[in-house]
Amino acid sequence: MEQLFSYGTLRSKEIQRQIFNKVLTGTPDQLLGHKLKSLQIEEEFGMADYVVVVPSQDPTDIIHGVVFNISPADLAKVDLFESNAYKRVQVILNSGNVAWIYMEN
């Protein structure tokens, strides 16, 4: 299994059903030393507002999110879902767990 830290859209049950055909169960966690930045992505019907993780100069900055355990096949589905404005990298969360996260590309 893979661990995926979600701080935005992937926490939505509707989006989870769309990508995985099921609702995921997760555990709250945090990412330290990072912050959220506004991001506009062009979609089929115009521009949409999202957020993206970026490193912070302040090690006390914190992003709250949820960690999901997903299969490698489901992780590949998320790669297809996320736009090229994001890149997938591994981070160490506040809990000490290593998880994948989508950050600014």
Side-chain angles (χ1 to χ4, degrees):
M1 294 298 278
E2 301 283 347
Q3 292 201 318
L4 174 66
F5 180 75
S6 175
Y7 54 88
T9 307
L10 292 173
R11 292 187 295 180
S12 161
K13 288 177 175 45
E14 180 180 311
I15 296 295
Q16 291 174 13
R17 284 188 194 98
Q18 177 185 335
I19 296 172
F20 310 113
N21 292 319
K22 62 185 173 189
V23 174
L24 304 175
T25 301
T27 305
D29 210 331
Q30 302 84 34
L31 177 63
L32 300 175
H34 291 76
K35 61 185 178 179
L36 295 176
K37 173 182 161 184
S38 295
L39 178 69
Q40 284 200 324
I41 297 176
E42 187 171 352
E43 293 188 341
E44 183 179 356
F45 300 105
M47 299 301 283
D49 294 317
Y50 293 93
V51 292
V52 63
V53 168
V54 294
S56 171
Q57 299 296 332
D58 184 349
T60 65
D61 280 344
I62 190 167
I63 296 172
H64 296 276
V66 177
V67 177
F68 299 109
N69 288 315
I70 62 173
S71 70
D74 281 344
L75 189 58
K77 291 176 187 177
V78 181
D79 285 341
L80 294 174
F81 171 77
E82 294 292 356
S83 80
N84 61 2
Y86 297 86
K87 65 181 176 184
R88 179 167 50 97
V89 298
Q90 283 191 314
V91 295
I92 299 173
L93 300 173
N94 195 36
S95 64
N97 290 331
V98 176
W100 292 106
I101 188 170
Y102 289 86
M103 301 182 70
E104 184 175 47
N105 193 2

